[in-house]
Amino acid sequence: MSPSAAHDVKRTYKIASIPADGIGPEVISAGVQVLDKVASVVGTFSFDWEHIDWSSETYKKHGYYIPPGGLEKLKTFDAILFGSVGAPDVPDHISLWGLRLAICQPLQQYANVRPTKVLRGTSSPLKNCGPGDLDWVIIRENSEGEYAGQGGRTHIGQACEVATEVAIFTRYGIERLMRFAFETARSRSRKKITVVTKSNAQRYGLVLWDEVAELVARDFPDVECDKMLVDAMTTRMVLKPETLDTIVATNLHADILSDLAASLAGSIGIAPTSNLDPTRTNPSMFEPIHGSAFDIVGKGIANPVATFWTAAEMLRWLGESEAADGLLMCVEHVCEAGLCTKDLGGSATTKEVTEAVCKEIEKGLSWDFSRDNAKTRGEGDS
């Protein structure tokens, strides 16, 4: 098939949408609207959506989040777009383990990727930190470690009650994550990675973590590597953000550091997450990191930017890198125009930001892709 003929074949991506709890339905609806707009303007791909109602309401009605056969159903999709899980009347450990972790772990989405940067039109709380000064990607181990789910409780309710929470670190799990992280660092312009640890105090699992990181680093001589204790890392992120690029950390450490990173970049309302199976054996899942935010549910003020950035990361994973770059560019144009929600210092609603991004897509992407299509047909620039 000729390149021009291949370009004319329209691809359809089958996507599972799981809005779930809190502001999840609001921001996922906005994300679907924006993705459909991108697809219609670009014209070379489309989405086949299936909206799946797994939520805390499902749990309260039926006693489960995911029905029998649910995971097998998810395996039939190209990707998963997830909202948030958590409700005031359901214990957090029930909701998290009942839905999000019940998807990530069985589907071997072992690499959690959280890019962080100061978007144009937004500002960091750090003095003199603007776009380009803070541009990181945090790679979080997503299948074991401190969230392995091993442990138990005995003598419940008694004075002698005991609870154990066992962190599991395996050479296999660490090495596959480290190789993914180093490959990510190699793909970025600075080719620099920081391995976060706490091996001075955690002398078994994180000593193994350090040893495997050192072994993997030998296979990437072109990647500059340093090591940082997690507590010292928090101060480095605040005081010397320009010294960081790719960061790899355990499940718990990266969970905490990535929320700090999002705040340093301006707001947790702009931060995306990709839960990846790098082998592509199973579908990967994409979600904003802001959580269910029940305090603003139904007010129409949830920031959809995190979902839009998440949508861009999903596009990139599906192989639509140009569309991903174009979408993020459009989001930044809207932010630069001052149309932001309350968490970024503005007064715009979710709907207003979404509509503005859709208009920017029509204005910006249509021109960019009509030019690219002309080049594919051999017409070139005039």
Side-chain angles (χ1 to χ4, degrees):
M1 183 180 291
S2 68
S4 60
H7 187 88
D8 291 337
V9 175
K10 191 167 185 176
R11 301 170 292 281
T12 299
Y13 299 111
K14 186 179 178 184
I15 310 296
S17 161
I18 309 176
D21 296 332
I23 61 171
E26 299 172 45
V27 295
I28 293 301
S29 175
V32 170
Q33 181 180 342
V34 162
L35 281 167
D36 281 341
K37 177 62 69 175
V38 171
S40 68
V41 169
V42 174
T44 58
F45 62 88
S46 63
F47 295 104
D48 177 11
W49 297 97
E50 183 168 340
H51 303 291
I52 300 176
D53 183 18
W54 296 347
S55 66
S56 291
E57 287 302 315
T58 305
Y59 171 76
K60 286 184 285 186
K61 290 177 183 177
H62 304 290
Y64 56 72
Y65 280 86
I66 301 175
L71 288 178
E72 289 304 312
K73 178 179 181 179
L74 283 185
K75 291 179 181 180
T76 67
F77 292 91
D78 295 309
I80 304 160
L81 186 62
F82 185 85
S84 58
V85 64
D89 53 353
V90 177
D92 288 340
H93 68 282
I94 298 293
S95 57
L96 183 64
W97 281 96
L99 186 53
R100 186 186 172 278
L101 293 181
I103 294 173
C104 291
Q105 292 191 357
L107 295 188
Q108 292 297 303
Q109 297 169 351
Y110 65 83
N112 179 281
V113 182
R114 297 187 170 187
T116 305
K117 67 178 181 177
V118 181
L119 298 179
R120 296 193 308 274
T122 68
S123 61
S124 168
L126 298 178
K127 185 178 180 181
N128 301 322
C129 181
D133 297 324
L134 191 162
D135 187 353
W136 309 330
V137 59
I138 298 177
I139 311 294
R140 169 187 173 186
E141 203 293 314
N142 207 36
S143 67
E144 54 178 41
E146 304 90 343
Y147 297 171
Q150 300 298 307
R153 292 172 65 183
T154 60
H155 312 299
I156 295 173
Q158 300 181 43
C160 58
E161 182 172 355
V162 176
T164 60
E165 197 77 47
V166 182
I168 304 292
F169 295 93
T170 66
R171 180 174 291 272
Y172 174 78
I174 298 169
E175 182 173 354
R176 66 179 183 177
L177 189 278
M178 287 294 173
R179 291 197 177 278
F180 177 86
F182 273 82
E183 287 165 2
T184 300
R186 174 180 276 172
S187 71
R188 290 168 61 85
S189 60
R190 295 180 66 187
K191 301 185 186 303
K192 177 181 175 64
I193 191 169
T194 299
V195 178
V196 177
T197 185
K198 191 59 179 171
S199 53
N200 59 337
Q202 293 176 281
R203 55 186 178 165
Y204 303 115
L206 289 187
V207 169
L208 175 61
W209 173 271
D210 290 355
E211 290 173 355
V212 174
E214 184 178 347
L215 288 171
V216 171
R218 296 175 189 174
D219 293 336
F220 295 84
D222 55 326
V223 175
E224 178 187 349
C225 177
D226 67 351
K227 185 173 74 172
M228 182 70 57
L229 294 176
V230 65
D231 39 353
M233 186 66 172
T234 61
T235 61
R236 183 176 172 185
M237 290 169 68
V238 173
L239 299 177
K240 297 181 179 180
E242 73 283 355
T243 68
L244 297 165
D245 189 78
T246 304
I247 301 163
V248 60
T250 70
N251 213 330
L252 173 63
H253 293 167
D255 190 10
I256 296 168
L257 293 177
S258 58
D259 278 14
L260 172 60
S263 296
L264 295 177
S267 171
I268 201 170
I270 66 173
T273 299
S274 304
N275 300 287
L276 303 180
D277 172 7
T279 70
R280 297 183 182 267
T281 302
N282 301 296
S284 294
M285 183 166 71
F286 302 83
E287 59 175 321
I289 75 170
H290 50 56
S292 50
F294 266 86
D295 57 320
I296 59 171
V297 171
K299 296 181 180 180
I301 60 173
N303 190 344
V305 168
T307 302
F308 299 158
W309 193 349
T310 295
E313 295 305 307
M314 186 179 80
L315 284 170
R316 196 179 313 282
W317 184 251
L318 293 171
E320 304 293 347
S321 293
E322 290 181 52
D325 292 339
L327 172 55
L328 197 54
M329 174 191 70
C330 290
V331 171
E332 290 192 271
H333 284 176
V334 170
C335 292
E336 282 184 301
L339 195 66
C340 300
T341 49
K342 184 178 180 180
D343 59 301
L344 291 175
S347 59
T349 65
T350 309
K351 182 179 180 181
E352 288 169 340
V353 174
T354 302
E355 291 177 346
V357 170
C358 286
K359 289 179 182 177
E360 193 66 35
I361 290 167
E362 289 181 345
K363 181 172 64 175
L365 281 189
S366 58
W367 182 83
D368 287 343
F369 277 87
S370 63
R371 179 192 63 184
D372 292 341
N373 291 345
K375 285 183 178 181
T376 302
R377 293 191 298 270
E379 296 172 16
D381 291 326
S382 58

